[in-house]
Amino acid sequence: MTVALKVGRMFDESRTRALVFAATSLRPFFVAFLGLCLVQMLSGCILGTERPDLAPDIPPKYGAGNGESAPPALDWWRGFRSRELTNMIEEAQAANLDIAAAIGRIMQADAQAKIIGAPLLPEVDFAGFAQRVRPPGGPERNVFQAALNASYEIDFWGKNRAASRAAQETAVASRFNKEVVVLSTIAAVGNSYFLVLTAQDRLRIARQNFEAANRVLTLIKQRFDAGTASQLDVAQQQSLVDQVRATIPLFDQDLRQNIAILAVLIGRPPVLVVVKGGSLYRLSIPRVTPGLPSELLFQRPDIRAAEANLASADASVESARAAFFPSISLTGQGGYQSNVLKLLFTPQNAFYNLAVNVTQPLLDGFLLEGQLELTQGRQFELLKTYCQSILAGFRDVELALIAIADGAERERLQQLVVNSSREAFNLAETRLREGTVDLVTVLQTQQTLFTAEDNHVLARLARLQAVLSLFQALGGSWLPPGVGAGGVGANANVIR
């Protein structure tokens, strides 16, 4: 019985010592396990924060639209039926320097995406050297070494992948920004060409009215010589002639200045550009249907750019969250080292070493937390910018539709004013020759006709500009099939 008790006591003591030894030996592993559990719990807290909901209000139709949805052509500017305008727009697309600068920004964004995506791949470099050394108290000797050094960070938490995706989405946004520049340039060329034609029309009207005023002045002078008109009548008509003539340099100035603006848009010096022009009334007015408001989200490049920027911000937030977790990297070196050059690449002179490094941020003065909050603030800003760009797109389309409808009616009514004013002036001029009308009536009809014709040109210009604005508000044209369905990254690898 005593022996059994002693054996039992010895067994309990050995088991206790074994448990104490195990607890002491496994303490580092136990601490590491608890640390990993803590990291996982923290990751659940950090990754639990999601992006604010995106819920822009999309109306079922435009208030000023007719509900039709026929997509315009990609080369929509041909609808104005002007070969000269078409040639200038195509030349601007090829030679405009703002577009070229936008392409340069695409190249920079692509290069930046490569730079940021580099940590996803291993880094390998070659290191070789030859030395002749003499240690203290020893003989001189040569040392030769040739080795490959490799390092790779295991992207276990997706930090580098998220950063690379953010850079790629920024590159996508740069492509849509380039399309914004292209669309703005086309609209600017069209508007400048319309202004050139407007100046030509107004200059033509001013000269025609100047000739008509001179005819009336000649008749009044004849009546003055005959004694049926006074010196005051001659002076009043001469004043009108001078007023009309004074407007001619202003219209000529507008003409030449708009040609200079047009020249820069097509990438040429103004002195080398000759615009034949003609008249606003020779241009056709294309019929544009706005389609559905939901289609605008894929059609407008500025909305697509805002969407890509928002996706980039989402990825940046993900990368900032992953920075809280341990960083695991592998390093290795292998090669040959020898004191004799001819024996350098022999098996017995080979060497290698491998290492695994784990780094976990503990105290950083809230650096990582500040970086996460910074990216979240940027994300919130771009979310609201995206929603604002959608609303601005709807606004632009509505404004253009209203301007087209009212502009057409304004031009029609102004044409009636021109017709009645011209008939009144022709009657007044005929009666003046017959001597049956007073000079005040003639002066009033002249001024009314000049103002009516000038306003009619401006009404035509406003209508054409409204059509141009609608094309621009719609994003230029419907995108080719498949582009809109592919998401914001559909054109990521294409410089258009």
Side-chain angles (χ1 to χ4, degrees), residues 140 176 183 246 253 348:
E140 292 184 354
F176 288 119
L183 181 58
Q253 176 183 341
Q348 62 271 20

Side-chain angles (χ1 to χ4, degrees), residues 393-456:
F394 295 154
R395 175 204 62 198
D396 294 341
V397 175
E398 289 286 357
L399 292 178
L401 289 172
I402 294 172
I404 288 176
D406 292 344
E409 181 65 11
R410 174 190 172 190
E411 184 182 5
R412 185 185 70 83
L413 296 177
Q414 193 61 41
Q415 181 63 58
L416 297 178
V417 175
V418 171
N419 294 340
S420 58
S421 299
R422 182 176 292 112
E423 182 179 1
F425 174 71
N426 291 336
L427 290 174
E429 187 176 6
T430 302
R431 298 290 176 84
L432 181 64
R433 294 179 184 276
E434 298 172 352
T436 59
V437 68
D438 60 287
L439 184 59
V440 175
T441 302
V442 177
L443 291 175
Q444 289 177 345
T445 56
Q446 286 182 89
Q447 292 174 337
T448 301
L449 176 59
F450 176 74
T451 302
E453 290 179 332
D454 195 63
N455 287 338
H456 187 247

Side-chain angles (χ1 to χ4, degrees), residues 174-197:
S174 69
R175 282 160 168 77
F176 288 119
N177 287 330
K178 178 248 183 183
E179 294 300 325
V180 173
V181 176
V182 171
L183 181 58
S184 299
T185 301
I186 293 175
V189 171
N191 187 64
S192 297
Y193 187 74
F194 295 160
L195 290 175
V196 168
L197 299 185

Side-chain angles (χ1 to χ4, degrees), residues 175-413:
R175 282 160 168 77
F176 288 119
N177 287 330
K178 178 248 183 183
E179 294 300 325
V180 173
V181 176
V182 171
L183 181 58
S184 299
T185 301
I186 293 175
V189 171
N191 187 64
S192 297
Y193 187 74
F194 295 160
L195 290 175
V196 168
L197 299 185
T198 300
Q200 289 178 333
D201 282 335
R202 299 182 76 184
L203 186 60
R204 187 180 305 110
I205 291 172
R207 288 171 176 167
Q208 291 174 352
N209 279 275
F210 176 71
E211 293 175 358
N214 261 330
R215 290 199 308 269
V216 174
L217 178 61
T218 301
L219 293 176
I220 294 176
K221 287 182 177 180
Q222 291 175 355
R223 294 183 60 184
F224 175 75
D225 294 337
T228 57
S230 65
Q231 185 67 37
L232 178 60
D233 296 336
V234 175
Q236 287 178 331
Q237 184 62 28
Q238 183 65 53
S239 175
L240 180 60
V241 170
D242 295 338
Q243 289 178 13
V244 175
R245 182 166 50 193
T247 61
I248 293 178
L250 296 176
F251 298 144
D252 183 69
Q253 176 183 341
D254 289 342
L255 173 61
R256 292 190 291 172
Q257 286 180 343
N258 283 295
I259 291 176
I261 295 173
L262 195 56
V264 175
L265 291 172
I266 62 178
R268 295 167 59 184
V271 71
L272 300 180
V273 174
V274 177
V275 180
K276 180 180 178 181
S279 174
L280 287 175
Y281 303 101
R282 295 180 182 178
L283 297 179
S284 298
I285 297 182
R287 186 171 178 269
V288 194
T289 53
L292 298 175
S294 58
E295 295 172 333
L296 199 66
L297 275 63
F298 295 102
Q299 295 165 196
R300 284 189 49 131
D302 58 334
I303 296 179
R304 301 294 297 275
E307 183 182 2
N309 285 327
L310 179 58
S312 176
D314 293 342
S316 296
V317 171
E318 183 180 343
S319 179
R321 288 171 180 163
F324 283 85
F325 307 136
S327 175
I328 305 173
S329 60
L330 304 176
T331 59
Q333 185 183 43
Y336 299 88
Q337 182 173 334
S338 174
N339 295 332
V340 181
L341 181 60
K342 66 179 181 179
L343 300 178
L344 178 62
F345 296 102
T346 57
Q348 62 271 20
N349 291 324
F351 74 93
Y352 73 90
N353 61 73
L354 299 174
V356 178
N357 302 314
V358 179
T359 304
Q360 170 62 52
L362 295 178
L363 297 175
D364 60 358
F366 302 102
L367 173 64
L368 295 178
E369 183 178 351
Q371 291 175 342
L372 176 59
E373 292 174 353
L374 178 64
T375 57
Q376 288 175 332
R378 177 67 174 165
Q379 179 192 48
F380 183 80
E381 176 193 358
L382 293 177
L383 174 65
K384 300 306 177 183
T385 300
Y386 176 61
C387 295
Q388 178 64 23
S389 63
I390 294 175
L391 293 179
F394 295 154
R395 175 204 62 198
D396 294 341
V397 175
E398 289 286 357
L399 292 178
L401 289 172
I402 294 172
I404 288 176
D406 292 344
E409 181 65 11
R410 174 190 172 190
E411 184 182 5
R412 185 185 70 83
L413 296 177

